[in-house]
Amino acid sequence: MTTPADLETDAARLREAMVRALAENSVLGDPAWRKAVETVPRHRFVPGFYLPAAERDEHGLTVWEPVTATLDHDRWLAAAYSDTTLITQFDGVEPDWKRPTVRHGGAPTSSSTLPSLVVRMWDDADVHEGHTVLEIGTGTGYSTALACERLGSADVTSIEVDPHRLEEAAGALHGCGYTPSLAVADGLYGYWPEAAFDRIVAACSFRAVPPALIAQTRPGGKILLTLSGWLYGYARVLLTVAEDGTASGPLLPGTVSFMSARGHAAPAFGTPIHWSAGLPESPRTARRSPDRITAGTEQAFHLRFLAQSAVPNAQMTTDGDAMYLLDVVTGSVATLTPDDDGWAVRESGPVKLWERIEQVLDAYEAADAPGPQAFTLHVDGGGQHLRHPKLPDLPLPRP
């Protein structure tokens, strides 16, 4: 039987190994963040989580296996100190960790983000001693604990929209001696009682930058967040807030995705076959393959975000070989199906969805395929626009 002393000894050993691995991968270049990761006991923040099984079920759904110290102590502790995202909640419902069951499918709605990404987010936000910080999305509290270890609890505020999740995180934080300001609040509106902040870092994604975050950041302060949308295109942006209340900053390189803020999640769209009833019988041949935005490459990941900015209300799904683009706001629809000439496109509604995406892809190629860091997001009274010197402005949805 594992004793509490044995647990802490094993945890310290595994934590040391994790730190070495992160350092070898150039994640812990800042000694202060390395010390924080060396100190914070991640296992105390993840008493239960789900890991995916090696194979899907007969319906193609991911099989999620519960992992706790009671079910499999060694697997639980090893996973807690792996550089892995640990799913802690599905569909907004907290599991019963005393009697957890295997899950088939479901939408993850809370997790403990992989440690390398947590440190990368704090590091990319240029967080240093003396900064006051707002974290959006407390989750398990592990990321919050790292910030408290680095900055001191008094300078850290963390908000979470899920009351039960925050209660669990608060217990873990206080049990480890950390006392940040915690509140149940919607990240779309920041947290006025503790404003203004030097840094705001979001562990969820938004369709556009919430104006409250800019209003709650001191001039010269920075906001790091992930932009996403209903096509599940993602980009990270680091904004600097100016004296006049505008903000601008570059997209950051890399492929990072976060769960959507619940108010920005994609709406249900119904049955694709219903949408295709009014499509024209005569298709045209697509100029661009859908693989340009669906392939498992870093460039496709970036292109999906750019394409999404051109059709911000579109969602994408597949049925057999066919790909559907569905716009619940305008009622527009497009389908792409493979044929002898490549891909056949049928479109109807006020917005020609695939035609707009093709225009973005054409402009992207003409501009010599610029990477994310070549784009800048500008936020002012006229809206939010993604800009590149060789491309037309791409507006984000109105927040």
Side-chain angles (χ1 to χ4, degrees):
M1 179 177 178
T2 302
T3 67
D6 292 337
L7 170 59
E8 296 306 321
T9 298
D10 291 343
R13 173 179 53 81
L14 291 170
R15 188 160 60 249
E16 183 180 349
M18 183 181 75
V19 168
R20 285 199 304 269
L22 293 177
E24 289 170 0
N25 289 324
S26 302
V27 174
L28 298 175
D30 184 331
W33 285 120
R34 176 167 182 154
K35 182 178 182 299
V37 178
E38 288 173 339
T39 303
V40 175
R42 191 188 187 204
H43 67 282
R44 296 201 191 175
F45 294 88
V46 285
F49 48 84
Y50 283 92
L51 293 176
E55 297 182 359
R56 294 176 178 266
D57 68 12
E58 64 273 18
H59 303 294
L61 299 175
T62 300
V63 178
W64 294 97
E65 299 174 340
V67 181
T68 67
T70 301
L71 290 172
D72 188 334
H73 181 275
D74 291 345
R75 187 186 188 196
W76 165 73
L77 195 58
Y81 289 105
S82 65
D83 192 30
T84 305
T85 292
L86 306 174
I87 305 300
T88 56
Q89 186 191 82
F90 288 89
D91 304 316
V93 178
E94 194 72 16
D96 179 358
W97 290 115
K98 293 181 180 179
R99 293 178 293 276
T101 57
V102 173
R103 292 190 55 97
H104 292 252
T109 48
S110 190
S111 67
S112 177
T113 302
L114 65 161
S116 61
L117 179 53
V118 171
V119 174
R120 179 178 169 190
M121 293 288 287
W122 288 126
D123 200 39
D124 284 345
D126 194 26
V127 173
H128 295 285
E129 288 79 1
H131 285 156
T132 54
V133 169
L134 171 64
E135 177 189 42
I136 297 173
T138 313
T140 65
Y142 175 67
S143 174
T144 318
L146 292 178
C148 291
E149 186 65 36
R150 170 71 187 268
L151 304 174
S153 296
D155 287 334
V156 178
T157 298
S158 186
I159 60 175
E160 169 62 50
V161 72
D162 186 315
H164 183 79
R165 184 94 304 278
L166 187 69
E167 182 181 3
E168 295 294 314
L173 285 161
H174 295 160
C176 292
Y178 302 117
T179 56
S181 296
L182 300 173
V184 176
D186 190 328
L188 294 174
Y189 305 98
Y191 198 58
W192 288 102
E194 298 291 331
F197 302 99
D198 296 303
R199 298 290 186 269
I200 295 179
V201 176
C204 58
S205 64
F206 300 95
R207 297 183 75 203
V209 182
L213 303 189
I214 295 175
Q216 293 174 30
T217 303
R218 290 191 179 96
K222 297 181 181 182
I223 303 169
L224 178 69
L225 52 77
T226 301
L227 299 171
S228 65
W230 295 350
L231 283 184
Y232 297 101
Y234 296 87
R236 289 193 312 147
V237 63
L238 181 62
L239 296 169
T240 299
V241 176
E243 291 279 354
D244 61 3
T246 63
S248 63
L251 299 189
L252 302 182
T255 56
V256 171
S257 61
F258 276 105
M259 299 169 192
S260 295
R262 296 188 185 182
H264 280 193
F269 53 73
T271 305
I273 194 67
H274 295 165
W275 285 79
S276 62
L279 287 170
E281 293 185 8
S282 299
R284 68 174 177 86
T285 299
R287 297 198 317 277
R288 300 284 178 176
S289 164
D291 293 342
R292 296 288 284 134
I293 63 170
T294 61
T297 65
E298 191 165 328
Q299 186 183 65
F301 188 92
H302 171 49
L303 281 175
R304 188 183 293 207
F305 177 74
L306 299 181
Q308 171 183 276
S309 300
V311 288
N313 299 316
Q315 297 182 67
M316 181 168 56
T317 189
T318 58
D319 183 9
D321 292 334
M323 188 182 88
Y324 290 78
L325 291 169
L326 313 170
D327 184 334
V328 300
V329 176
T330 67
S332 302
V333 59
T335 64
L336 289 93
T337 52
D339 64 13
D340 293 340
D341 296 320
W343 289 85
V345 182
R346 291 177 173 84
E347 296 178 285
S348 68
V351 180
K352 297 300 182 279
L353 298 172
W354 189 248
E355 183 177 325
R356 281 201 182 178
I357 290 176
E358 287 178 321
Q359 291 170 355
V360 170
L361 297 178
D362 291 344
Y364 173 80
E365 297 293 350
D368 300 321
Q373 56 269 43
F375 291 81
T376 303
L377 181 65
H378 294 262
V379 182
D380 54 33
Q384 303 186 17
H385 294 85
L386 195 63
R387 291 176 180 161
H388 182 277
K390 294 184 179 179
L391 291 168
D393 284 4
L394 290 170
L396 299 188
R398 284 281 176 182

